[in-house]
Amino acid sequence: NNLLALHTLKNQFRGQVKLIYIDPPYNTGNDSFGYNDHFNHSTWLTFMKNRLEIARQLLSDDGFIFISCDDNEQAYLKILCDEIFQSDNFISQIIVQSNKRGQTYQEIAKTHEYLLVYAKSELSEIKELEKTNGFSIADDKGGYELRELRNRNPKFGRFNRPNLFYPIYVDPTKTDKNGLFPVSLEKSSAYNVRVLPLNSAGEESCWRWGKDKVRANSGENIETCDVVAKMKTTSEFGIYEKYRKVTYKAKSIWLESEVISEQGTMELRQLGLSDEFNFPKPSYLIEKILQIGSNEDSIILDFCAGSGTTAQAVLELNQQDTGKRNFILVEQLDYVEKVTVERARKALEKDNDFIYCELMKYNEAFMERIQAAKNSKELLKIWREMAEGSFLNWYVNPEVPEEAIKDFEAIGDLEKQKHLLAELLDKNQLYVNLSEIDDAMFKVSKEDKVLNGKFYGGEL
């Protein structure tokens, strides 16, 4: 149960998680979230509120949370997150193209979902993405693209930025291999074409750079200078910056084909895993989130782990940038063993050795035996062993009187008998607590004690 897991994790990881990504149930009526129809939104919001409040405590001061959702709960979730994370920490509501054709059975074929993005505080800073296709133009200093030097924001112009309104002069007789011309702030016989920051209607705007910056980045050697002119028409020049930055800001609409849900389904099939999982998120989507919201040594948490996309994305990104990100996944549904854990294992095996550990079972061991029992005789044996060596609920008589056995046998239905035995067990004692590691009744080996000491960060 992810609520119990979050309360447990906060003891060790409070304030240490750089990024949380979750893809919770969308409350569509067809997903894993069960609710009373009369309390549809309120039940779902209570479910989310309880978990998000703990999640915020886990985030580092410079951390982020990204939450996938759709139209069913987007508006309600936004208000809830404004309350928990504070509206000042709202970063963006990213639109993600999840279905190129759209849901054609609806009146308007919906093609998108959302990513709500919140920061923990003003210390959180979204990173820029790296260009993957390079630059199409280059000079002696390297690649670049041309960006108009005129400020295109209509809120700025000569009327309120007079220091950014001035002439730039072009020498129309010289050009480099890319068809660009040198510029200067001083008029001369060579630099004799005057260019002002005017918009397409001939109205006065302004430049983005002041004179000192233009002067430092212009001159005779246009191969290495970063302010140049280019012909816009046969009689008109435009002034441009050679923009060399190799990163760019993520946009609020993600349209890449790699983010559509179908890609996630294909990934599971390629890994040889079940294709019965409905619309798993593609690893590219999570990798993009990791790139803008985490560092190479961050802790990543996904407490609605689903098919395990987050694990695969973290591991693959680590291989790309030699990062050392760690992930924590929480999931409780039936597919966790055959899909979630298996997907993480396959991703780990590509380039890494790994240790796989499980919680030491106590009452959970009895639960599993109850579920596996083939007949009432097996269940009676388990019952007697439970009476001697398990944690029962406080209201349960630990003895097994003969008359109770007769009543138990009289039930007749094996599934009802299993349910009855399961109800006797204290569900808060399914696993051995760390605080009880030295209790002789649990028979924890010396090797396991050493492993736990290392895992929890110190000698026990």
Side-chain angles (χ1 to χ4, degrees):
N1 183 300
N2 55 14
L3 183 57
L4 296 177
L6 288 170
H7 277 288
T8 302
L9 289 168
K10 76 176 183 181
N11 294 328
Q12 183 176 353
F13 294 101
R14 184 193 298 267
Q16 296 184 46
V17 176
K18 172 68 173 176
L19 186 146
I20 296 174
Y21 168 76
I22 55 170
D23 181 18
Y26 283 5
N27 199 10
T28 61
N30 297 314
D31 55 27
S32 60
F33 184 76
Y35 56 85
N36 183 320
D37 287 340
H38 295 292
F39 301 99
N40 185 340
H41 297 300
S42 62
T43 305
W44 187 88
L45 287 169
T46 300
F47 169 88
M48 292 298 296
K49 181 177 185 290
N50 292 337
R51 288 152 178 79
L52 292 176
E53 286 177 340
I54 307 302
R56 185 179 184 278
Q57 295 180 38
L58 286 161
L59 281 176
S60 60
D61 289 340
D62 62 346
F64 294 97
I65 184 167
F66 289 70
I67 309 173
S68 287
C69 63
D70 71 358
D71 287 319
N72 286 285
E73 295 292 352
Q74 175 274 325
Y76 299 93
L77 181 60
K78 172 67 168 61
I79 294 171
L80 176 64
C81 288
D82 281 347
E83 176 187 335
I84 294 173
F85 297 99
Q86 300 182 2
S87 57
D88 289 347
N89 292 321
F90 172 68
I91 301 296
S92 181
Q93 178 172 283
I94 299 171
I95 295 173
V96 180
Q97 180 177 237
S98 57
N99 184 336
K100 283 195 172 183
R101 288 190 310 163
Q103 297 173 343
T104 54
Y105 55 85
Q106 296 195 8
E107 291 181 312
I108 294 179
K110 187 169 67 174
T111 64
H112 70 281
E113 294 181 352
Y114 304 99
L115 267 176
L116 284 180
V117 186
Y118 281 82
K120 174 68 176 290
S121 73
E122 69 278 1
L123 298 176
S124 309
E125 186 175 350
I126 288 287
K127 297 167 65 177
E128 295 192 354
L129 295 164
E130 292 187 7
K131 290 180 179 291
T132 56
N133 53 1
F135 296 102
S136 58
I137 320 173
D139 60 16
D140 294 347
K141 289 169 67 174
Y144 63 89
E145 64 182 49
L146 291 176
R147 290 195 175 184
E148 193 171 4
L149 198 65
R150 183 177 67 84
N151 193 326
R152 303 177 69 87
N153 189 332
K155 292 182 179 180
F156 300 103
R158 186 179 189 179
F159 64 95
N160 63 353
R161 294 292 187 274
N163 60 313
L164 296 178
F165 185 89
Y166 52 84
I168 294 177
Y169 298 94
V170 181
D171 181 350
T173 64
K174 294 180 180 178
T175 184
D176 69 359
K177 60 185 177 182
N178 295 314
L180 304 176
F181 299 84
V183 300
S184 173
L185 291 178
E186 284 74 39
K187 184 178 181 180
S188 66
S189 58
Y191 292 91
N192 55 26
V193 178
R194 182 171 180 260
V195 181
L196 290 171
L198 306 178
N199 63 22
S200 57
E203 299 167 339
E204 296 176 344
S205 56
C206 62
W207 304 116
R208 292 188 288 110
W209 291 7
K211 285 185 176 183
D212 290 343
K213 191 172 182 179
V214 170
R215 184 176 286 108
N217 287 277
S218 61
E220 289 295 323
N221 191 349
I222 55 175
E223 287 289 342
T224 56
C225 287
D226 284 344
V227 179
V228 292
K230 181 182 178 181
M231 294 292 296
K232 296 177 71 174
T233 68
T234 55
S235 60
E236 183 183 8
F237 285 94
I239 308 299
Y240 296 86
E241 167 200 2
K242 290 181 180 179
Y243 188 79
R244 302 180 186 276
K245 197 172 182 180
V246 296
T247 60
Y248 64 96
K249 288 187 176 181
K251 294 181 171 60
S252 60
I253 301 179
W254 294 1
L255 297 174
E256 304 99 303
S257 59
E258 293 88 348
V259 303
I260 64 174
S261 297
E262 186 179 354
Q263 291 291 328
T265 303
M266 291 172 58
E267 283 180 355
L268 280 184
R269 290 176 182 170
Q270 290 167 0
L271 291 169
L273 301 176
S274 171
D275 61 359
E276 297 177 3
F277 198 97
N278 292 327
F279 310 116
K281 293 295 185 286
S283 57
Y284 177 90
L285 173 69
I286 313 302
E287 285 184 30
K288 190 169 180 178
I289 291 170
L290 293 170
Q291 287 171 333
I292 64 176
S294 74
N295 302 320
E296 292 185 3
D297 58 351
S298 297
I299 296 175
I300 315 301
L301 170 63
D302 182 348
F303 57 86
C304 297
S307 69
T309 306
T310 298
Q312 181 179 343
V314 168
L315 293 166
E316 290 184 348
L317 189 60
N318 281 348
Q319 292 160 15
Q320 294 172 30
D321 60 17
T322 65
K324 295 181 180 179
R325 298 172 187 83
N326 289 290
F327 62 85
I328 303 171
L329 303 188
V330 182
E331 185 54 77
Q332 69 171 351
L333 296 183
D334 292 340
Y335 50 73
V336 65
E337 288 294 339
K338 65 179 182 179
V339 179
T340 316
V341 172
E342 190 66 12
R343 185 175 193 174
R345 184 184 66 79
K346 286 178 178 287
L348 280 162
E349 283 182 340
K350 289 181 180 179
D351 289 300
N352 300 278
D353 295 323
F354 67 98
I355 298 171
Y356 174 64
C357 303
E358 291 185 341
L359 296 176
M360 186 175 184
K361 298 173 183 175
Y362 193 62
N363 277 358
E364 176 65 14
F366 287 105
M367 292 287 289
E368 292 177 354
R369 290 178 61 193
I370 290 170
Q371 291 300 318
K374 298 291 192 298
N375 52 56
S376 296
K377 186 177 179 180
E378 286 186 50
L379 290 176
L380 282 172
K381 181 182 178 183
I382 295 169
W383 187 2
R384 289 190 175 94
E385 292 178 14
M386 285 167 49
E388 295 178 2
S390 73
F391 283 103
L392 301 176
N393 281 312
W394 62 271
Y395 51 81
V396 175
N397 182 355
E399 298 179 2
V400 188
E402 194 63 32
E403 58 194 46
I405 293 175
K406 292 179 180 179
D407 290 340
F408 182 78
E409 291 175 328
I411 294 174
D413 187 304
L414 185 64
E415 289 304 315
K416 288 183 178 179
Q417 290 174 331
K418 289 182 178 182
H419 179 73
L420 178 61
L421 282 194
E423 285 300 304
L424 302 181
L425 291 166
D426 183 350
K427 304 307 187 297
N428 290 320
Q429 299 292 342
L430 293 176
Y431 301 95
V432 177
N433 294 318
L434 181 65
S435 59
E436 297 166 343
I437 196 170
D438 291 319
D439 192 321
M441 72 176 292
F442 295 116
K443 300 177 182 179
V444 181
S445 69
K446 182 179 179 181
E447 292 77 13
D448 282 347
K449 289 181 180 179
V450 171
L451 176 62
N452 276 272
K454 291 179 179 178
F455 182 82
Y456 288 105
E459 298 299 325
L460 294 174

